[in-house]
Each structure stands twice: as structure tokens, then as C-alpha cells.
Amino acid sequence: CKSFPETLLFQLLGLSIATLSTITHYGLHFTLISNISLDSNAYRVIHHRAFYFGICLSMTLILAALLSSAATVRESQCLTAMGFFCFALAFCGLIPAACWRYTHSTEVEDSMMDVYDFVYEEVRRNTSSLRRHELTAIHEAFLCCGKHSPFGGTTSVENKTCPPGQVGDEGQDCLQEIQDFLRKHMDFVFSLLGIAIGFTVYGMILTSFLWFSIHFSSNLYRKGKYILR
């Protein structure tokens, strides 16, 4: 049956989205910033919403693929319609997500850099040993060292919290490293969203064609049959 390769592709796509969502939610870089961020910072809300959206989207795509496959085997119009509804539901979720990526392209970057700025300034004021530990963890995770000043040189913050070999001119600016890391990740996410949109459109077309095929073949099968009385 021709539907099985497509079913496998949709299942792999759903698993890819679920995997990426899990990495984004539980990855070291993201959880570190999320745990440090304050309630007034928007990053923690975005962090959790992105995870739940990705999981729901992956489940919807996998369910749509399974329904389409079952509809093909059983030639059921009801299952085909349910598969089309799942693809349409996924499409309606993907389009706003892609639009949000364009309209709020810098919101996630700004919120993550705001978290780093806050922790850095807290350590510079020497107000909390906990903040010093958090800043050290950020430096180790992103392999960076403080914020580079246009006047050059390092402060006691960098000397106390940067990993060995990152202090001074050898260390990378953390704000730049956070921005570069997140842009690469968001580009990958956007590429996966684009692929998912294309496949959901293809899935809707496929299920529509399947529904009409089952409908008309069912009518042709009944045509010409008579009951003798």
C-alpha cells in the first residue's frame, strides 16, 4: 500500500519535533537560563510553552499518520476525515508558530541576555554567593567569559567565575555567544517548522484524495447490484 511510506515519514517528523522539543526544554543551556530567570522575565514562560507546543504538535502528526494508514487499510471515510482534521489542526498551529518566529525574532535572545546581565551585575556588586555560582555555570555551559569592555581588560568577576583558559582576550563575550547559540538553534527550529508545514499540506491533500477515492469507489461498487424479490 502506498500510504505506509508516507505514514513512516509523518511519524519520523513527529518524533523529530518531539526530540527537538525535549532537547530545547531539558538541554543544559536552556534549563540553566530558565532556572535563573526571574518571574518578571519572559524567558521561562516561552521555555515551557515551546515544549508543550512541540509535544502536542508531534502527537497530532503521529496520530494523523496512524489514522490515515488505518483509513487506507480499512477504506473508512470516517478515519480519513479524522486524519484530515488532525493534519488541519497541526497546520493551524504551525502557521502562527512560524509567524511568531518572524514577529518576535529577538524576544527570546533579549530575554536570555537579560538573565545574563542580571546575574553578572549581581555578582559585580558582590551581593550573593549563589549568583556567583550561577554565573560560573553559565560561563562553563556557553564556554564564554564575561562581557568584553571596549576599554579592554578584565574585572574580578571574570577572574573568579570564568573557566581556565577563558580569562582575558582568549575568552569569548558571553552576550555574543548566547546570541550566536540561540540564533543557530532557532534557525534549525524554523527549518523544521517549514518542513512540517509542507508535510501537513501534503497530508491534507493526500487525505482529501483518499476520502474522495473511497467515496466514489464505494458508490461504483454498489452500482449495478439488484435485489430479487
Side-chain angles (χ1 to χ4, degrees):
C1 180
K2 291 185 178 180
S3 68
F4 290 121
E6 285 84 355
T7 301
L8 182 60
L9 285 175
F10 284 116
Q11 289 178 341
L12 289 175
L13 180 62
L15 290 175
S16 299
I17 294 174
T19 302
L20 182 62
S21 301
T22 303
I23 292 173
T24 303
H25 190 262
Y26 294 104
L28 174 62
H29 301 81
F30 300 102
T31 54
L32 185 61
I33 298 297
S34 178
N35 293 334
I36 297 174
S37 64
L38 302 176
D39 294 336
S40 58
N41 191 288
Y43 177 76
R44 187 176 295 179
V45 176
I46 298 173
H47 183 72
H48 290 292
R49 286 182 178 178
F51 172 71
Y52 294 125
F53 172 79
I55 295 299
C56 291
L57 177 62
S58 64
M59 292 175 63
T60 303
L61 288 174
I62 293 173
L63 179 60
L66 293 175
L67 288 172
S68 300
S69 179
T72 305
V73 174
R74 301 182 61 179
E75 296 187 357
S76 171
Q77 290 180 271
C78 180
L79 292 176
T80 306
M82 292 173 63
F84 177 86
F85 174 77
C86 289
F87 282 122
L89 186 64
F91 180 79
C92 291
L94 285 166
I95 294 300
C99 293
W100 186 90
R101 170 67 178 85
Y102 272 112
T103 57
H104 300 77
S105 58
T106 61
E107 185 174 342
V108 182
E109 297 176 12
D110 293 340
S111 61
M112 288 186 74
M113 289 189 289
D114 286 343
V115 172
Y116 180 81
D117 275 330
F118 169 75
V119 177
Y120 184 91
E121 293 301 322
E122 288 288 305
V123 175
R124 191 176 64 83
R125 297 189 189 100
N126 197 24
T127 57
S128 173
S129 59
L130 175 62
R131 296 302 182 189
R132 189 178 300 110
H133 175 73
E134 292 172 346
L135 185 62
T136 302
I138 294 175
H139 288 163
E140 292 176 351
F142 287 92
L143 296 177
C144 58
C145 182
K147 298 187 293 184
H148 289 182
S149 171
F151 303 102
T154 59
T155 65
S156 60
V157 176
E158 282 82 1
N159 293 326
K160 293 179 181 179
T161 60
C162 290
Q166 293 288 332
V167 182
D169 295 335
E170 297 179 0
Q172 300 294 325
D173 181 83
C174 280
L175 294 179
Q176 187 64 45
E177 284 296 307
I178 291 173
Q179 188 179 52
D180 292 343
F181 169 81
L182 193 59
R183 282 183 178 177
K184 291 178 182 178
H185 184 80
M186 293 300 289
D187 288 341
F188 186 75
V189 170
F190 187 71
S191 299
L192 191 59
L193 284 176
I195 294 172
I197 290 174
F199 270 94
T200 50
V201 172
Y202 173 71
M204 288 189 290
I205 296 173
L206 189 66
T207 49
S208 300
F209 177 77
L210 180 61
W211 188 91
F212 283 109
S213 297
I214 295 172
H215 176 74
F216 287 116
S217 65
S218 178
N219 290 339
L220 289 174
Y221 180 74
R222 292 190 180 95
K223 187 177 293 185
K225 289 197 171 183
Y226 303 94
I227 299 176
L228 296 177
R229 295 187 179 182

